[in-house]
Amino acid sequence: MTHALAVPFRNLASSILTAIALVGEPHPVAVTATLSEWKVELSERRIAPGVVTFTVTNAGSIPHALEVEGEGIEQETEVIQPGAHATLTLTLKPGTYEVYCPVGDDSHKKLGMDTRLKVQGGAEHGDAMSSGYSSTAMHEAHAMEATAPAIKVTGGGPVIQILPGPFPFPDSAAPILQAFGDEREGLESQVKNGPYSNNVAPTSGTFTFTAWDKGAVRDSVDGVAEFATQDGARWKLVLDRVQTKDVPHHPRFGGVIFGLYYHGVTQVHTPLVPTINSAVALWAFGHLYKNGALVTDNAMVHVMLLSHTRRDGDFAIACWDCSKNKIDELQLQILPGPGEPKFDAPGGFLFVNWEQSRSRKLAS
Ligand SMILES: [Cu+2]
């Protein structure tokens, strides 16, 4: 009788011992990663060393992927379509790892899809961290690592005003536009008559600015453009402050971004601009004057110093993929502020290029 009772009791005792042993030993860690425009959110910010499985969900509206880099490791998932999942299992030793989206020659990373994971003994679990606007300290740390947080750009060469007209590569842009959801309709109207056209007029003017890239906050701009338009009007723009409000396909992360590969095929910003690399891209508000009179204090300004898109002579757009060209084209686009009337200019906007411009990185 006593024997029959003792056997199950012994089994129970040994399974309790097994359970205790498991708690004390390293065990596979599970980390959930959520990708979206433009952040990487991890379920854990610190984990124990050993085997870790990342379960990655693309909760965004364009394709993304996840890469883990550090301590000699550089591993990534395949590209994950919107709504799809992937897993990545790695053995991580103690250290700090960068976890980011590698899509688009690091453009997604520069737009904020970048966070860190600490691997160490005595991990704290359930300590979620987002790479979005909430982790500005990390992005500021990144900016500090960069060789130079400021750039000074001076417009030069032929100055042209770009007038409304058809986009020269509608067939290349069409499949990219499909992915733009709600924004698609507004953009499609620009295919036939938009700001990125071959319809240009020679003009004259000057534009010099300085831009500071300090992360998700504290970016800054300073500069003045003065130019004439085709109708003889004299315009002056004084840059005031950065714009930081993102919309899914039009991130403005911090307002100033250095070294961004975007437009065209990238699904980052409108494809009604060729695929380009930019030394600096910025979104800002400015004070706009026409013939000395204030037009608005809220002009919406987009500036980029980009890889050359237009050929000499007639200044037609010469390439759909212009990303490998020399970065010397300075583009200034000015739109009315939210709710304000269109400008008294063709198409209601101002768009001026300085075709042979130069830039200099500043130490501070
Ligand atoms: Cu991405």
Side-chain angles (χ1 to χ4, degrees):
M1 275 309 254
T2 48
H3 253 92
L5 277 172
V7 171
F9 183 75
R10 199 159 49 216
N11 283 351
L12 180 62
S14 79
S15 52
I16 288 168
L17 285 174
T18 307
I20 289 166
L22 273 176
V23 170
E25 277 171 15
H27 54 283
V29 176
V31 174
T32 303
T34 307
L35 310 177
S36 60
E37 298 83 40
W38 301 92
K39 56 186 195 262
V40 174
E41 292 167 291
L42 300 180
S43 59
E44 320 286 331
R45 66 187 294 183
R46 289 187 192 88
I47 58 170
V51 177
V52 51
T53 297
F54 295 88
T55 302
V56 190
T57 300
N58 182 356
S61 59
I62 65 174
H64 296 295
L66 187 85
E67 178 154 341
V68 178
E69 189 177 331
E71 305 296 331
I73 279 185
E74 197 172 346
Q75 294 288 326
E76 64 184 63
T77 65
E78 70 269 28
V79 171
I80 310 166
Q81 295 303 316
H85 309 270
T87 59
L88 183 65
T89 299
L90 302 171
T91 302
L92 299 182
K93 57 187 180 188
T96 301
Y97 295 81
E98 190 167 22
V99 181
Y100 61 94
C101 175
V103 169
D105 277 2
D106 281 354
S107 62
H108 292 202
K109 184 181 173 185
K110 284 175 178 159
L111 291 165
M113 297 191 71
D114 188 14
T115 190
R116 291 197 177 182
L117 179 68
K118 268 211 163 117
V119 177
Q120 58 186 180
E124 300 160 31
H125 290 283
D127 193 1
M129 184 169 93
S130 150
S131 74
Y133 290 178
S134 56
S135 66
T136 51
M138 196 203 69
H139 284 282
E140 281 169 19
H142 267 208
M144 298 295 281
E145 285 165 17
T147 49
I151 190 169
K152 183 174 183 182
V153 180
T154 305
V159 185
I160 53 171
Q161 181 185 4
I162 298 148
L163 304 162
F167 182 64
F169 302 102
D171 296 342
S172 302
I176 315 296
L177 274 179
Q178 296 296 321
F180 271 57
D182 292 346
E183 291 176 73
R184 183 179 148 193
E185 213 169 292
L187 287 170
E188 275 177 343
S189 70
Q190 294 185 6
V191 174
K192 287 203 175 75
N193 195 32
Y196 235 86
S197 78
N198 288 342
N199 190 8
V200 306
T203 184
S204 61
T206 58
F207 184 22
T208 301
F209 72 90
T210 304
W212 290 262
D213 184 2
K214 295 185 174 181
V217 294
R218 296 177 53 226
D219 280 1
S220 186
V221 290
D222 182 28
V224 176
E226 290 184 89
F227 54 90
T229 43
Q230 195 195 25
D231 56 5
R234 305 282 322 177
W235 300 82
K236 181 178 181 181
L237 175 78
V238 180
L239 294 176
D240 184 274
R241 63 199 185 276
V242 289
Q243 281 179 44
T244 57
K245 190 167 174 271
D246 282 345
V247 279
H249 291 274
H250 289 254
R252 294 165 179 157
F253 190 77
V256 175
I257 305 174
F258 291 167
L260 191 62
Y261 166 75
Y262 72 136
H263 287 301
V265 300
T266 67
Q267 300 195 10
V268 178
H269 289 255
T270 171
L272 300 179
V273 174
T275 312
I276 57 103
N277 260 299
S278 62
V280 55
L282 69 86
W283 292 264
F285 289 105
H287 310 279
L288 181 69
Y289 304 83
K290 183 184 183 185
N291 298 325
L294 181 70
V295 175
T296 174
D297 284 319
N298 291 303
M300 295 181 70
V301 181
H302 176 36
V303 175
M304 50 183 171
L305 179 63
L306 70 156
S307 47
H308 212 91
T309 64
R310 292 176 184 272
R311 65 190 181 206
D312 293 341
D314 65 358
F315 301 105
I317 299 174
C319 40
W320 162 247
D321 182 356
C322 308
S323 62
K324 304 284 188 288
N325 293 351
K326 187 181 178 194
I327 296 182
D328 67 350
E329 201 168 69
L330 176 61
Q331 176 190 302
L332 170 64
Q333 228 174 340
I334 312 173
L335 295 169
E340 294 182 350
K342 290 185 164 193
F343 299 143
D344 181 16
F349 59 83
L350 296 167
F351 190 174
V352 179
N353 272 16
W354 284 259
E355 287 293 303
Q356 287 158 27
S357 301
R358 57 203 157 81
S359 68
R360 188 160 58 91
K361 291 276 183 118
L362 304 178
S364 62

